[in-house]
Amino acid sequence: MASIQNITVLGATGSIGQNTLDVIRRHPDKYRAFALTAARSVEQMLADIAEFQPRYAVMVDPQAAQQLNNQLPPDGAATEILSGDEALAMVASHEEVDQVMAAIVGAAGLLPSLAAAQSGKRVLLANKESLVMAGPLFMQAVEQGKAELLPIDSEHNAIFQSMPESYTGELSAHGIDKILLTASGGPFRGKSRDDLTAVTPEQAVAHPNWSMGAKISVDSATLMNKGLELIEACFLFHCLPEQVQVVVHPQSVIHSMVQYCDGSVIAQLGQPDMRTPIAYGLAWPERVEAGVKSLDLFEIAQLDFMPPDEISFPCLRLAKEAFAAGGTMPAVLNAANEVAVDAFLRQELSFTAIPDLIEQVMKRHAVQQIEQLQTVLDADRWARNCAQQLMTEESL
Ligand code: NAD
Ligand code: MG
């Protein structure tokens, strides 16, 4: 690997972004934060500029960029403050950048993640939504841009680590029977649909094992996160949904597994700490220290496994149906989910209405094939409008 790697961190102020900066902080001889981006968290960005002195800081919101500029101390002058979506794409594809951590939440991550792939960067992909929305186009951009795609989602990182290094994109060619995608089950595991009607955003974001941003925490509670991850796995590892089995494993110690035809199952284990997959992606094929405490198996003592409950948590089924429908349907699923989760967090929609709303939007969608990015963006916009309209029309 070249001397010091220049890193762009998209979504630097978020949960993955801050964990990425923590790994970078531990290895100033290996990694440099070249550009940091955020939507509007001025305070966090100010602190990160002071510490990491990046060349660029992008605030997508122009007012936040203005505020940041006003508050920048004189020694912050080494950092150029930019704003807007074009600036995001610029720092994701800048010729001096080696690696891009794609950690913006939701559909907003698609265009800058694609820009990184098209320009041949090592893409550390946390933003699973971009693969769900535009999987075929994203994988094509990786291939055409000669990018390196390394999964940061802990499950996909575990699968990557459990696969042969020579993996060519065909499970059977490597004697792989199936992928075992683990799920914690979230904070409401074991609850019936009736138990779930009155749950609050506070309860939903209180994940038992992981500390994450609000949107993915709610996705974990509905099991939509596992649905999105199933689609993500199919694109990343070029396999069929039938070859991916979801296994609920409440301790979140095994991060996923690969089952081989000779009866072997290879797993990756670790603390529920995203710095492990982040450090793995940054250093691959080497390893660097990540600040993660080592696993104490005697403390864990027990590992449990059970099938997912698709009756109480219909989002997993909806994601499978969206992937089976193909074309624009996964983008529609994703967009409707973003609107529903946002409304739930604002207490405008109940927890159990999240899957209901998504299903209603999916039912109204006429699937289109996605040869063009614009088709995906149009489907995303259509689904958001449809979900908003349904929320005002119906008492979901
Ligand atoms: P977060 O909410 O903590 O942070 C999101 C970041 O994106 C912030 O920096 C925010 O400023 C930025 N952002 C938000 N809206 C934006 C917009 N419209 N345009 C540009 N930037 C915007 O989220 P997170 O938990 O860090 O998750 C980030 C991504 O990583 C998600 O796609 C999530 O599914 C994935 N992921 C997260 C975890 C985790 O442990 N947090 C694990 C696996 C995958
Ligand atoms: Mg995950």
Side-chain angles (χ1 to χ4, degrees):
M1 204 183 275
S3 48
I4 292 196
Q5 296 272 300
N6 275 334
I7 319 290
T8 285
V9 185
L10 302 170
T13 56
S15 169
I16 293 286
Q18 290 292 299
N19 277 308
T20 304
L21 289 177
D22 188 62
V23 178
I24 292 176
R25 173 185 291 130
R26 290 164 192 277
H27 301 282
D29 55 324
K30 292 191 168 70
Y31 311 114
R32 168 174 183 244
F34 179 84
L36 305 178
T37 86
R40 55 185 70 83
S41 318
V42 174
E43 292 306 317
Q44 187 60 54
M45 188 58 96
L46 269 174
D48 293 337
I49 290 174
E51 180 179 354
F52 293 96
Q53 306 272 317
R55 172 92 71 86
Y56 297 106
V58 181
M59 301 301 278
V60 178
D61 179 56
Q63 275 175 337
Q66 189 62 49
Q67 235 178 318
L68 183 65
N69 243 327
N70 295 343
Q71 293 184 43
L72 216 54
D75 65 354
T79 302
E80 192 176 331
I81 311 295
L82 302 171
S83 177
D85 292 331
E86 310 76 51
L88 279 185
M90 189 280 281
V91 296
S93 56
H94 195 289
E95 59 173 12
E96 287 179 49
V97 169
D98 302 292
Q99 306 195 27
V100 176
M101 168 54 76
I104 290 173
V105 60
L110 175 60
L111 295 179
S113 307
L114 258 183
Q118 280 157 347
S119 51
K121 306 303 181 195
R122 174 176 294 190
V123 182
L124 309 177
L125 189 71
N127 177 243
K128 64 194 86 183
E129 294 91 342
S130 42
L131 264 188
V132 170
M133 293 173 75
L137 299 180
F138 196 91
M139 296 310 286
Q140 205 181 337
V142 168
E143 204 180 307
Q144 286 173 356
K146 298 192 171 51
E148 270 177 334
L149 182 59
L150 286 164
I152 298 304
D153 213 346
S154 59
E155 295 78 1
H156 305 75
N157 190 269
I159 296 163
F160 187 87
Q161 294 198 42
S162 304
M163 285 226 174
E165 256 175 59
S166 59
Y167 184 65
T168 51
E170 196 189 341
L171 296 186
S172 61
H174 298 273
I176 299 172
D177 277 347
K178 59 182 168 184
I179 288 170
L180 303 172
L181 182 70
T182 57
S184 70
F188 306 134
R189 183 177 51 82
K191 296 215 183 299
S192 70
R193 202 161 148 87
D194 282 349
D195 296 336
L196 294 173
T197 44
V199 303
T200 64
E202 290 70 33
Q203 291 169 317
V205 298
H207 196 279
N209 306 331
W210 298 92
S211 160
M212 311 180 286
K215 191 258 179 187
I216 184 175
S217 297
V218 176
D219 286 349
S220 298
T222 60
L223 282 203
M224 178 56 91
N225 186 48
K226 217 42 60 181
L228 300 178
E229 289 186 355
L230 194 149
I231 299 174
E232 182 185 13
C234 291
F235 285 123
L236 281 173
F237 303 110
H238 204 257
C239 60
L240 301 169
E242 303 78 60
Q243 295 171 306
V244 183
Q245 183 176 347
V246 175
V247 178
V248 174
H249 162 48
Q251 290 90 357
S252 298
V253 169
I254 295 181
H255 297 309
S256 279
M257 300 169 256
V258 175
Q259 184 170 311
Y260 290 82
C261 61
D262 61 0
S264 300
V265 175
I266 300 190
Q268 186 258 353
L269 287 72
Q271 297 284 356
D273 188 322
M274 289 307 292
R275 290 175 301 178
T276 297
I278 290 167
Y280 181 87
L282 284 166
W284 184 83
E286 291 162 24
R287 299 257 180 186
V288 292
E289 199 273 327
V292 178
K293 86 173 173 41
S294 58
L295 202 58
D296 181 343
L297 288 173
F298 296 124
E299 197 182 303
I300 293 158
Q302 187 181 336
L303 300 177
D304 295 312
F305 305 99
M306 57 209 72
D309 172 359
E310 292 189 26
I311 307 296
S312 292
F313 303 98
C315 284
L316 182 55
R317 168 180 61 80
L318 292 175
K320 286 180 188 167
E321 287 174 8
F323 189 65
T328 44
M329 196 59 102
V332 165
L333 167 96
N334 178 67
N337 180 53
E338 286 189 28
V339 173
V341 169
D342 194 50
F344 168 70
L345 287 170
R346 284 185 283 105
Q347 295 183 299
E348 287 168 14
L349 195 71
S350 74
F351 186 78
T352 43
I354 296 174
D356 295 345
L357 180 62
I358 298 166
E359 188 154 26
Q360 290 305 317
V361 176
M362 283 171 61
K363 274 194 181 141
R364 286 165 173 73
H365 183 61
V367 175
Q368 277 182 276
Q369 293 315 306
I370 51 169
E371 270 114 46
Q372 312 277 343
L373 185 61
Q374 194 54 46
T375 315
V376 175
L377 302 177
D378 290 346
D380 175 87
R381 183 153 2 95
W382 174 87
R384 282 168 204 274
N385 289 339
C386 181
Q388 293 291 359
Q389 205 170 338
L390 284 169
M391 277 197 297
T392 48
E393 280 171 12
E394 295 174 29
S395 49
L396 272 158

